[in-house]
Amino acid sequence: MLNIAVFVSGGGTNLQALIDAQDRGEIKNGKITFVLASNENAYALERAKKAGIETAVVNRKQYDSKEAYDRAILDVLEGRDIGLIVLAGFLSILGEELISQYRNRIINIHPSLIPLFCGDGFYGKRVHTAVLESGVKVTGATAHFVNEITDGGAIILQKAVDVEQNDNEDILQYRVMRQAEWEILPKAVSLFCEGRIKINGNKTEII
Ligand code: GAR
């Protein structure tokens, strides 16, 4: 059984989707044992506590560099035997040390079809604003491994979602979450814990 740490910054609906999937027995060979938040106001912390999961806050604002923040996170993870880190709406960029210590063991959920609408500056609702401004008719979500390039790691699962005529950012964000994120993130996590994701360079194969 793999211990899973989920990193959060906000509402935590993706964390909730993971907890619900776990309760239904859909996270095979994995267990969420720890939730780390980048700020103390993240509602995700309430969701974790309700589910009886241990939490910690490592506040990004208290560290003046990405490297110092990384060190603090690594210290908190120490001794917890974490086999997988899931970034579920975690809006701080991780540093190289953490990424290399957990190489191919960090999964992120991004609210667009990578390689579109991703990279530095594309997070949360901003992604959906850019999607609406572009006029594309289809968007979606991507579960992928994390490497040193923002949103640049190997793609695990994607799901497309229609953009509709009268959408605004809120409506589109909710549709992308409900139809794509909350479905593919728990699936990708389970596939990982079951050892069913083979990585070849920047591509994955589900076995
Ligand atoms: C989600 O839409 C997630 O995909 C996005 O932030 C939201 C967090 O919602 N993440 C990113 O934009 C990462 N680049 P949640 O806290 O309710 O899960």
Side-chain angles (χ1 to χ4, degrees):
M1 190 65 100
L2 228 60
N3 293 329
I4 304 167
V6 183
F7 289 13
V8 294
S9 297
T13 64
N14 279 287
L15 169 66
Q16 192 64 56
L18 288 166
I19 293 169
D20 294 346
Q22 174 169 284
D23 290 348
R24 292 193 301 265
E26 290 170 12
I27 307 288
K28 299 192 185 91
N29 202 39
K31 188 173 191 321
I32 305 164
T33 53
F34 189 55
V35 168
L36 183 146
S38 63
N39 70 86
E40 58 278 358
N41 300 320
Y43 182 69
L45 287 167
E46 304 306 315
R47 298 180 189 271
K49 283 173 194 157
K50 217 175 190 175
I53 303 165
E54 199 185 338
T55 64
V57 178
V58 185
N59 197 325
R60 180 64 184 89
K61 288 195 181 127
Q62 282 168 5
Y63 300 88
D64 49 17
S65 70
K66 201 164 73 176
E67 291 70 30
Y69 189 55
D70 240 37
R71 263 275 114 234
I73 293 178
L74 282 166
D75 286 349
V76 168
L77 294 182
E78 180 117 23
R80 293 184 183 275
D81 189 26
I82 298 298
L84 172 67
I85 294 173
V86 181
L87 308 185
F90 186 70
L91 301 182
S92 299
I93 303 283
L94 298 177
E96 284 175 13
E97 196 178 343
L98 205 151
I99 292 171
S100 73
Q101 277 204 31
Y102 287 86
R103 173 85 48 208
N104 295 335
R105 290 190 291 148
I106 310 176
I107 291 176
N108 180 47
I109 183 75
H110 183 77
S112 78
L113 292 174
I114 291 175
L116 293 175
F117 307 105
C118 63
D120 291 331
F122 284 97
Y123 57 87
K125 231 165 253 180
R126 289 176 182 218
V127 175
H128 304 293
T129 306
V131 164
L132 290 172
E133 277 171 2
S134 77
V136 294
K137 303 286 186 188
V138 174
T139 183
T142 304
H144 65 94
F145 285 110
V146 171
N147 66 10
E148 286 77 3
I149 303 161
T150 308
D151 301 323
I155 292 170
I156 304 164
L157 294 174
Q158 292 188 297
K159 190 165 179 217
V161 173
D162 285 340
V163 179
E164 288 174 14
Q165 210 113 300
N166 295 316
D167 277 351
N168 60 33
E169 287 81 2
D170 295 320
I171 293 171
L172 184 58
Q173 180 182 47
Y174 184 71
R175 188 180 311 115
V176 169
M177 284 174 156
R178 188 168 50 82
Q179 292 185 8
E181 296 184 46
W182 302 339
E183 184 184 316
I184 66 172
L185 182 61
K187 257 191 203 159
V189 167
S190 188
L191 287 169
F192 180 89
C193 295
E194 293 170 75
R196 293 178 54 198
I197 307 175
K198 199 168 134 197
I199 308 172
N200 297 318
N202 216 34
K203 292 185 184 173
T204 65
E205 202 183 309
I206 310 299
I207 48 175

